[in-house]
Amino acid sequence: MRVLLTGASGLLGRAVLSKFSSSSFEIIGTGFSRAAPPVVKLNILDAGAVESFIDDHTPDIVIHAAAERRPEAVQENYDQAKQLNVDSTDNLASICARKDVYLIYISTDYVFDGEKPPFQVDDKPNPLNKYGELKLAGETCVKEKEGLKWCILRIPVLYGCTDKLDESAVTILYQALLQSIENKRMAKMNHIERRYPTFTEDAAGFLIRVCEKYEEDGKAVGVLHFIGDECMTKYEMVQRMAKLKDKSLDFIEAETKVSSTVKRPFDCFLSMDKCKDLNLQCSRTSFDTAILTVLQNF
């Protein structure tokens, strides 16, 4: 089967492109601002260009990973973020429905309010910020598209191999740790909201299993959750990284008061019960092992 991946130059997209390239699937990765071979440049906001690309490459499956995933950026540039997170999704869903292509839409735990975890796949969403609202709107585009075969995969905060520490909300914490040591200035780290950092390699492997299941039986699976199996605040993540990399915590302080301008949910633990029911492989790498791999060059 042939898979078309949007957002292939992003943090998750790179892991998916690499993992699928070693699988039985043929994959074509697309990107835009950072596109470089083997990623093909495609503006997914251009409906005509997207349809022509799909006509030319005839994928069986589209994985839509392109998105503005930074909550502050969404709030500051809402209209632009809406085009990417909602309008492009609606267009892709329409094209996939017309051409009988299976659409896998990457969503987020931020569609929930974090009040009563764990959240099942059919629990009612209630996003607290504009990022969550836009990703939920994208989900609605997928769910309500007549004739579309679809999967919505919700994933929490991601981390993975990168050349820039600020590319992930997890690795940027290590950057802040290094800067605090260098400048000998205190840095506050959130010690309120609970997070479930998820390794991009694991998420990519799970996506292969989702595609294999579709190849096996041709049935859409609906909404799924995939999540790292360790719970940590940002402060606790920094503690773990500092210990593993033998760095001082003298200039790191736990922040127990909300300081962000964007409201975030307290605990969006996503239940993976449905994955177990569907017998989908759910192997996950420990945080210590994965983050050491990610930070090996820093």
Side-chain angles (χ1 to χ4, degrees):
M1 279 191 160
R2 182 174 295 168
V3 177
L4 171 62
L5 168 68
T6 73
S9 58
L11 186 67
L12 175 61
R14 294 195 304 271
V16 173
L17 188 61
S18 175
K19 204 86 167 178
F20 272 74
S21 295
S22 302
S23 74
S24 61
F25 294 95
E26 178 185 351
I27 188 163
I28 305 161
T30 69
F32 188 62
S33 60
R34 295 181 292 177
V39 176
V40 181
K41 190 167 186 175
L42 175 67
N43 181 4
I44 61 169
L45 301 182
D46 184 336
V50 172
E51 183 152 15
S52 294
F53 195 89
I54 289 178
D55 284 339
D56 291 342
H57 294 277
T58 62
D60 303 286
I61 301 169
V62 169
I63 300 175
H64 185 29
E68 175 53 75
R69 56 174 178 76
R70 299 166 298 172
E72 282 81 7
V74 170
Q75 184 163 292
E76 292 171 7
N77 302 285
Y78 182 82
D79 291 341
Q80 185 176 342
K82 180 179 178 295
Q83 286 184 320
L84 184 57
N85 290 6
V86 183
D87 298 347
S88 72
T89 304
D90 188 49
N91 178 53
L92 265 176
S94 296
I95 295 170
C96 289
R98 289 197 302 270
K99 300 180 186 299
D100 194 32
V101 176
Y102 187 39
L103 177 62
I104 301 174
Y105 171 68
I106 305 300
S107 191
T108 174
D109 57 339
Y110 274 28
V111 299
F112 294 115
D113 57 18
E115 294 296 322
K116 295 181 180 180
F119 292 94
Q120 302 293 334
V121 294
D122 55 357
D123 283 343
K124 184 178 180 180
N126 183 36
L128 299 182
N129 57 46
K130 292 185 183 298
Y131 167 64
E133 290 173 2
L134 290 185
K135 292 303 288 184
L136 179 58
E139 288 191 10
T140 301
C141 291
V142 172
K143 288 180 178 179
E144 295 184 352
K145 195 65 60 179
E146 186 176 352
L148 178 66
K149 293 181 293 186
W150 57 270
C151 168
I152 290 169
L153 178 58
R154 296 178 181 141
I155 310 175
V157 60
L158 288 163
Y159 67 100
C161 294
T162 178
D163 294 327
K164 300 191 304 179
L165 288 172
D166 63 359
E167 191 176 10
S168 160
V170 175
T171 54
I172 198 172
L173 303 177
Y174 186 68
Q175 181 181 64
L177 170 67
L178 296 180
Q179 290 173 344
S180 72
I181 295 171
E182 181 182 358
N183 299 325
K184 295 183 179 181
R185 292 182 180 177
M186 295 302 298
K188 292 185 177 182
M189 293 291 170
N190 184 290
H191 197 36
I192 306 170
E193 293 96 0
R194 299 174 179 177
R195 294 289 173 258
Y196 301 84
T198 302
F199 191 31
T200 53
E201 292 289 323
D202 293 342
F206 183 72
L207 277 165
I208 287 180
R209 186 66 194 98
V210 172
C211 291
E212 287 174 342
K213 182 167 181 58
Y214 177 68
E215 187 177 36
E216 290 164 7
D217 59 26
K219 295 179 181 178
V221 293
V223 181
L224 295 175
H225 291 163
F226 186 81
I227 184 171
D229 61 359
E230 296 174 75
C231 176
M232 287 172 275
T233 64
K234 289 183 177 181
Y235 177 68
E236 290 166 337
M237 290 183 217
V238 172
Q239 287 183 310
R240 295 274 284 274
M241 288 186 276
K243 181 178 180 181
L244 290 166
K245 297 286 286 184
D246 194 25
K247 300 295 182 182
S248 171
L249 281 166
D250 290 348
F251 300 99
I252 298 297
E253 179 182 354
E255 173 61 82
T256 56
K257 294 182 180 179
V258 177
S259 58
S260 173
T261 57
V262 176
K263 190 173 183 181
R264 286 170 165 80
F266 172 66
D267 185 350
C268 282
F269 179 67
L270 300 175
S271 169
M272 291 181 60
D273 288 349
K274 184 176 177 180
C275 296
K276 296 174 184 177
D277 293 342
L278 293 173
N279 196 29
L280 287 170
Q281 182 180 348
C282 302
S283 62
R284 289 166 285 181
T285 309
S286 72
F287 181 79
D288 287 2
T289 299
I291 202 65
L292 270 177
T293 299
V294 170
L295 298 179
Q296 62 182 334
N297 295 323
F298 296 97

